Amino acid sequence: MSRIADGIAAVILTILVGTSVRGLGGLPPVGPLLDPIHGVWATAAGAQPLGKRSVLLGGLGAPVQVRVDRRGVPHVFAQSYHDAVYVMGYVVARDRLFQMEAQTRAAAGRLAEWAGRPALAADRQSRAIGLGWAAERKWSELDTTSSTYQTLVAYSQGVNAWIDQLTPATLPLEYRLLQATPIRWEPKYTLYFYSEMGRTLALNNLDVVRGRVGALVGKDAAEGLFPLHAPLQQPIVPNGHPTSTRLPVSLPPPGVPDASVGHSFADQLGVLAGREPPGNADRIGSNNWAVAPERTKGGYALLAGDPHLELTLPSIWYEIHLNVQDSLDVAGVSFPGSPGVIIGFNREIAWSFTNTGGDVIDYYRETVDDEGAPTRYLLDGEWRDLTLTPTVFRGRGGGILLQDTLRYTHRGPLLPVGEEWYSMRWTVHDPSHDTDVFAQMQGAHSVDEWLTVMEHFVAPTQNGIVADRQGTIAIRSSGSWPVRPGDGRGDRIFDGSRSANDWVGRLPVERYPGVRAPAQGYLASANQEPVDPRRDSTYLGANWPSPWRAIRINTLLRSDSAVTPDAMRRFQTDPGSARVHAFLPFFLRDSITQVASAEDSLFRRGLSILQEWDGTYRGQGIAPLLFETALGELTNRLWDELIDPGGSSGRRVATPSEAVLLALLDLPASPWWDDSRTPGVQEDRDELLIESLSAAYLRLLTSRGAPRDGRWRWSEVRFANIMHLLRLPALSRRGIAVEGGPSTLSPSSGRGQFGASWRMVVELGPVVRAWGTYPGGQSGNPASRWYDDRITQWQQGQLDTLLFPRAADDLSPTEVVSTLIFEGASR
Amino acid sequence: MRRLTWSVGLGLLVAVGTAGLGWWTVPIVGLGAGWLGRRRKDIALLTALGAGLAWGGLLAGLAWHAPLGPLLGRLAMLFALPAAGVVGLTVLFPMLLAWSAATLARRIGQWTMPAASQS
């Protein structure tokens, strides 16, 4: 018997020690993980507020005081900007260290060192498009005496000071799960982060879309379906029309496929450059608007902003207040990894951004000396050497996964596409002092000063809205706008063998789209085309998203001549939709309701639901789901010509914007309405509308039961899913019921992983007042009360009052949970 | 009473060792206790009890100044266990580790003892 016990003991000991030293499968070692002092449990200790504490930091010029308020927001009081940024690096790292490193690794193409081979494709893509290359170039070109350099170094010192003080309790949980240790933060990593934001916001594929579509339905049709200008105009710069207007649209019928550009090429280039075919433009979007004092109840300018980005835990934003004696007092949100406040307010102004989505990238087909491994490319009849950079991809444990060579022309990275090579020219790669721009922007005292600072901003192009206490409001699409030769358009592939195709300069600031103190008394942007092309036809981009949100904001602002901060807040989650108002009437037209046969009960039943609908996306409503399903059915039936016959997925290669669909609805007999899958039958618009609503009703009936059974409710289908950066469900918040739908101001579509990542309202009165929230919390520690504490508030459309004390002691003791005194230490 | 003293003493040793050096002091203490206590039939059990007490105590101490609720919920999801299961696993792990180490050490210790003195 004792021998059996001995055997069992030996087996158990072997297993436990083995799994504790080496782990099991992908799991981290069990012993270190469960250890109550050094393991995963210790994370709870690190989540506690620090109370009152002194911290010694080498290199500080003077003591810095930080008060952390009950929302987990640090208020930093320093004597110099250097010290403020230094301490900012420390406190942000304390809350978000893992996120900072993850973002850097994503840009640098070093995720495989954490995740192994599954991350190799993403790493290759990041390096191929030159994210790290651009950051390294910018860093190496910085003058070490420049303020940008000094700021980045100070921030990195703060981050590393925190890393140096890490204990088992403060080591982020994710490192334990990945069995990794934090890398030291280098100043250039901030520039890596800016590259990553460039990928998120400015890596559009206008050049590729038409190639894909033209290869199926011909060049003319592709031009019509993906027009240069938005068919529906509600531009950022007011065009004299209070409501949206239509541009004439030419929609040639499907034609002979354009063999000059194979769609497989376009697919490969699109995939290589990291973008799927354009779909719902609400994924990456944003809103901002400002109201001049004459249209507000309080008589003070109001400003609101809500950037829409991927919703993650921890959030992409970090809230902070920086007070530098006699020179800066600013609050708002920053990106972890980036010094200073990006969106926020100071004692005089407030500002916010939406993404412009301008065309700031071009592809050039290059002639190379060797299709397999080129070393030279042809330019104006002469061979030029490519810059070749060997690169090594490493996996977990440092083993080599892949060795490759990165190639660059004078334009930028050279990408292999099939047997051809294409180089990229992209403003995100250009030298910039955007760190300095952000630093100066947050200290501007007036709208004009802010606009002057933003003249130097490079990438990605942003619609910056700003308001000041004097009552001035303004907006401008800032960033480096390339000037191209010829007709100036960039929505095509260029011949790389001619230098005459290179960019010839940048648009002068005076020609940036923008307006200051508009007569209408309000301004709004929501990623729509910035300028009405009938007023200024300068090429800024193509295939602009439909301006549904812009139309809705303008409608709300136009109808309220006494706007309050609370109204601004309500607007941010307004469930109304300009898109519904545009499309719904087509389903309800007499011509359809009379044509549809009386026995078409599915259509009739669907119609009765839509007829009762007020057009809002509320949780209890059943019409939104039916409407969205019907619109989806209509889209699938209408754009059947855009399904790649050679593709296995049966998916469209691209989907025209809904403004194009709207234009087509005015052409009931257009050949596009014909369903090519029903040869011998010629469908028209009304037939497709009836079919689509009937099919939608049937689909929902089959999958969800009768409409009144409860499962058609919008709250049953629309959720925000806020995923942790490692996509671990345990650290994520999923299934958060939200109001709003595609193209409402707080849009909800797809898998619910995108949305308003920060909401802010500022009133610029004698005392600046501000409110805000974001879907997450200040801490990246899942054991912290500040990990996801704001989600319910965000879900309900509520905002917190943002504390903005002039001095540390202005914060009442009940508002403060921690006080940190940072003092210089001799090195 | 002596059993309790043994368990508490070993528990203290495991707690101090874990706090100072880490999880691996559990098998070390188990091996040491098994060897030194090779004359006791119940030494492996007492060591396991001590290790469980130690890690349970450390966990209770942690919970005293840092609420474990939010973390416990997330760990439960992470390990696909009920919340009580995560706590149970944290206590069971050192118990098994200590028991197995002490059992083996005791057996080895007995092999090295003169036959007459073996219990």
Side-chain angles (χ1 to χ4, degrees):
Chain A
M1 187 64 188
S2 65
R3 283 177 186 269
I4 294 173
D6 292 347
I8 292 172
V11 169
I12 288 176
L13 189 62
T14 306
I15 290 174
L16 292 184
V17 171
T19 54
S20 292
V21 172
R22 302 180 64 92
L24 184 66
L27 292 174
V30 180
L33 193 71
L34 293 178
D35 181 334
I37 301 297
H38 309 92
V40 71
W41 291 106
T43 313
Q48 297 312 298
L50 292 173
K52 189 162 185 176
R53 185 172 295 194
S54 288
V55 182
L56 293 179
L57 291 183
L60 273 186
V64 176
Q65 191 171 153
V66 175
R67 300 270 171 109
V68 180
D69 70 26
R70 60 183 169 76
R71 295 172 57 246
V73 178
H75 301 261
V76 179
F77 296 90
Q79 309 284 312
S80 69
Y81 188 62
H82 169 275
D83 287 355
V85 166
Y86 190 142
V87 168
M88 180 181 179
Y90 183 94
V91 296
V92 176
R94 177 180 189 271
D95 282 329
R96 301 290 187 86
L97 182 61
F98 173 76
Q99 178 185 21
M100 293 166 70
E101 184 173 338
Q103 290 168 165
T104 304
R105 285 185 176 277
R110 291 181 57 189
L111 288 171
E113 293 170 22
W114 275 353
R117 194 168 288 278
L120 184 59
D123 281 352
R124 293 190 72 182
Q125 185 189 80
S126 298
R127 295 194 201 183
I129 62 174
L131 299 181
W133 169 75
E136 294 285 347
R137 262 196 345 161
K138 291 176 189 180
W139 175 246
S140 66
E141 290 170 5
L142 274 182
D143 179 351
T144 56
T145 62
S146 67
S147 51
T148 294
Y149 185 92
Q150 304 290 343
T151 299
L152 296 180
V153 168
Y155 189 81
S156 72
Q157 286 174 323
V159 177
N160 287 326
W162 171 254
I163 291 174
D164 290 340
Q165 295 176 11
L166 278 175
T167 65
T170 53
L171 180 71
L173 174 66
E174 293 89 342
Y175 287 105
R176 299 174 198 280
L177 299 177
L178 291 168
Q179 303 161 61
T181 52
I183 54 173
R184 289 193 71 72
W185 185 264
E186 297 186 36
K188 64 187 176 189
Y189 289 166
T190 296
L191 304 179
Y192 274 79
F193 173 72
Y194 293 157
S195 284
E196 184 62 23
M197 285 310 292
R199 165 156 63 181
T200 301
L201 299 173
L203 184 60
N204 46 32
N205 56 359
L206 305 170
D207 323 57
V208 174
V209 171
R210 285 214 193 93
R212 281 182 163 139
V213 174
L216 293 175
V217 294
K219 193 175 173 184
D220 290 346
E223 290 269 343
L225 296 181
F226 296 89
L228 197 55
H229 300 293
L232 197 55
Q233 284 288 321
Q234 179 81 71
I236 293 171
V237 179
N239 60 357
H241 298 279
T243 55
S244 61
T245 55
R246 301 271 192 102
L247 288 185
V249 176
S250 167
L251 291 168
V256 179
D258 178 8
S260 67
V261 181
H263 52 77
S264 60
F265 144 74
D267 278 348
Q268 288 181 56
L269 184 55
V271 169
L272 198 63
R275 277 291 185 267
E276 288 296 303
N280 194 319
D282 278 338
R283 282 163 57 94
I284 301 291
S286 305
N287 307 318
N288 62 21
W289 63 87
V291 187
E294 62 267 25
R295 292 187 66 85
T296 66
K297 189 172 184 183
Y300 312 122
L302 292 171
L303 181 140
D306 54 299
H308 306 166
L309 294 167
E310 186 172 7
L311 305 178
T312 57
L313 281 173
S315 164
I316 191 168
W317 298 106
Y318 184 82
E319 203 182 318
I320 196 161
H321 170 203
L322 299 176
N323 179 299
V324 180
Q325 196 174 44
D326 301 328
S327 64
L328 179 69
D329 201 2
V330 63
V333 282
S334 166
F335 293 119
S338 170
V341 168
I342 302 291
I343 291 177
F345 54 95
N346 60 30
R347 299 284 169 198
E348 301 294 335
I349 67 167
W351 71 93
S352 188
F353 296 106
T354 63
N355 194 37
T356 308
D359 185 1
V360 293
I361 186 169
D362 281 329
Y363 296 99
Y364 295 78
R365 185 185 290 112
E366 302 288 357
T367 306
V368 295
D369 61 343
D370 178 352
E371 286 173 1
T375 57
R376 294 184 300 164
Y377 67 109
L378 199 62
L379 188 71
D380 297 331
E382 292 183 7
W383 288 104
R384 277 204 185 190
D385 288 337
L386 290 164
T387 303
L388 306 179
T389 307
T391 191
V392 177
F393 296 86
R394 296 185 183 277
R396 291 170 66 95
I400 294 176
L401 294 180
L402 179 76
Q403 289 180 305
D404 200 0
T405 300
L406 301 174
R407 297 172 167 82
Y408 306 90
T409 69
H410 68 288
R411 301 183 175 102
L414 185 70
L415 312 173
V417 180
E419 294 180 347
E420 295 185 313
W421 292 81
Y422 292 79
S423 64
M424 288 174 80
R425 178 78 177 91
W426 193 20
T427 57
V428 170
H429 292 148
D430 287 351
S432 77
H433 289 274
D434 289 347
T435 310
D436 246 7
V437 172
F438 293 141
Q440 292 173 30
M441 170 185 79
Q442 60 190 351
H445 297 90
S446 67
V447 161
D448 294 329
E449 199 179 318
W450 191 88
L451 290 172
T452 303
V453 171
M454 284 300 290
E455 289 177 4
H456 305 284
F457 182 67
V458 173
T461 48
Q462 294 290 294
N463 304 315
I465 198 161
V466 57
D468 66 21
R469 281 207 309 131
Q470 308 309 311
T472 307
I473 61 172
I475 192 166
R476 192 173 63 201
S477 306
S478 293
S480 179
W481 292 98
V483 176
R484 300 170 173 93
D487 62 5
R489 287 174 57 172
D491 53 337
R492 63 175 72 110
I493 307 293
F494 291 90
D495 176 5
S497 68
R498 298 177 59 227
S499 62
N501 286 331
D502 282 344
W503 293 355
V504 293
R506 293 177 176 182
L507 208 62
V509 173
E510 307 79 67
R511 294 186 59 196
Y512 285 10
V515 61
R516 180 187 179 281
Q520 65 183 27
Y522 59 87
L523 289 167
S525 81
N527 318 105
Q528 77 271 41
E529 185 166 9
V531 188
D532 188 327
R534 293 167 293 196
R535 301 189 116 200
D536 181 353
S537 61
T538 305
Y539 176 82
L540 299 173
N543 193 32
W544 298 92
S546 306
W548 306 124
R549 283 180 286 114
I551 293 171
R552 184 63 185 167
I553 298 169
N554 277 276
T555 302
L556 291 168
L557 295 177
R558 200 168 50 243
S559 63
D560 188 346
S561 58
V563 185
T564 62
D566 195 54
M568 300 279 272
R569 174 193 65 78
R570 281 187 280 108
F571 293 168
Q572 287 180 326
T573 50
D574 169 70
S577 167
R579 175 169 164 270
V580 173
H581 287 295
F583 287 110
L584 186 59
F586 285 96
F587 285 102
L588 308 180
R589 290 165 78 103
D590 287 346
S591 62
I592 291 180
T593 55
Q594 287 163 9
V595 166
S597 59
E599 57 271 22
D600 189 349
S601 63
L602 290 174
F603 175 78
R604 293 283 167 200
R605 282 186 272 172
L607 189 65
S608 69
I609 291 173
L610 293 185
Q611 282 170 329
E612 292 172 10
W613 188 28
D614 67 356
T616 61
Y617 290 78
R618 297 186 189 279
Q620 295 304 307
I622 59 171
L625 179 58
L626 178 63
F627 174 76
E628 290 302 329
T629 309
L631 210 56
E633 293 282 348
L634 182 68
T635 303
N636 289 337
R637 284 170 163 73
L638 174 60
W639 302 126
D640 54 306
E641 292 87 353
L642 304 185
I643 295 171
D644 179 5
S648 56
S649 66
R651 292 173 60 186
R652 287 185 295 277
V653 296
T655 304
S657 78
E658 289 180 337
V660 170
L661 171 59
L662 190 64
L664 202 59
L665 281 164
D666 284 335
L667 305 170
S670 167
W672 286 103
W673 292 111
D674 182 37
D675 189 341
S676 62
R677 294 165 296 188
T678 55
V681 182
Q682 177 80 32
E683 289 88 356
D684 63 12
R685 177 196 67 188
D686 290 355
E687 285 175 80
L688 251 64
L689 283 166
I690 292 167
E691 275 181 34
S692 299
L693 184 54
S694 303
Y697 192 94
L698 180 62
R699 184 136 73 96
L700 294 177
L701 192 64
T702 309
S703 60
R704 295 179 171 271
R708 308 292 168 188
D709 287 354
R711 294 191 55 222
W712 286 40
R713 281 200 296 258
W714 194 237
S715 58
E716 289 283 312
V717 290
R718 284 316 316 162
F719 302 101
N721 291 304
I722 308 177
M723 299 302 293
H724 180 265
L725 293 172
L726 291 178
R727 307 277 158 190
L728 295 171
L731 306 183
S732 307
R733 284 285 300 274
R734 298 182 295 172
I736 301 163
V738 290
E739 297 205 329
S743 298
T744 59
L745 294 193
S746 181
S748 173
S749 58
R751 287 182 289 174
Q753 293 179 358
F754 290 81
S757 59
W758 163 245
R759 292 190 185 120
M760 177 184 78
V761 173
V762 185
E763 183 186 58
L764 291 142
V767 174
V768 174
R769 298 192 301 161
W771 302 264
T773 198
Y774 61 76
Q778 285 287 91
S779 176
N781 184 339
S784 168
R785 63 172 145 159
W786 292 313
Y787 179 66
D788 56 3
D789 58 313
R790 300 179 179 189
I791 289 180
T792 303
Q793 180 185 57
W794 173 84
Q795 179 188 17
Q796 295 169 346
Q798 300 297 321
L799 303 177
D800 255 329
T801 299
L802 306 184
L803 300 177
F804 194 34
R806 290 180 182 274
D809 290 338
D810 287 354
L811 278 169
S812 77
T814 56
E815 291 285 358
V816 178
V817 295
S818 301
T819 299
L820 307 175
I821 311 291
F822 292 85
E823 292 177 287
S826 55
R827 286 173 163 175
Chain B
M1 190 62 192
R2 283 191 67 187
R3 285 182 173 180
L4 184 66
T5 308
W6 266 94
S7 279
V8 170
L10 286 169
L12 279 172
L13 211 55
V14 169
V16 171
T18 302
L21 300 169
W23 69 273
W24 53 268
T25 52
V26 177
I28 299 293
V29 170
L31 288 170
W35 176 272
L36 295 173
R38 58 189 179 272
R39 293 178 192 282
R40 296 186 64 102
K41 277 185 176 176
D42 56 0
I43 188 64
L45 206 59
L46 295 177
T47 312
L49 208 60
L53 276 173
W55 279 35
L58 290 173
L59 211 53
L62 182 64
W64 184 257
H65 70 275
L68 295 182
L71 181 64
L72 187 57
R74 296 190 188 285
L75 291 179
M77 275 186 77
L78 204 61
F79 296 137
L81 288 172
V86 181
V87 175
L89 187 67
T90 305
V91 176
L92 190 64
F93 172 78
M95 290 180 77
L96 282 173
L97 200 54
W99 173 81
S100 56
T103 300
L104 286 180
R106 176 171 177 268
R107 176 61 61 202
I108 294 166
Q110 286 177 336
W111 285 341
T112 60
M113 284 168 65
S117 61
Q118 286 184 25
S119 59

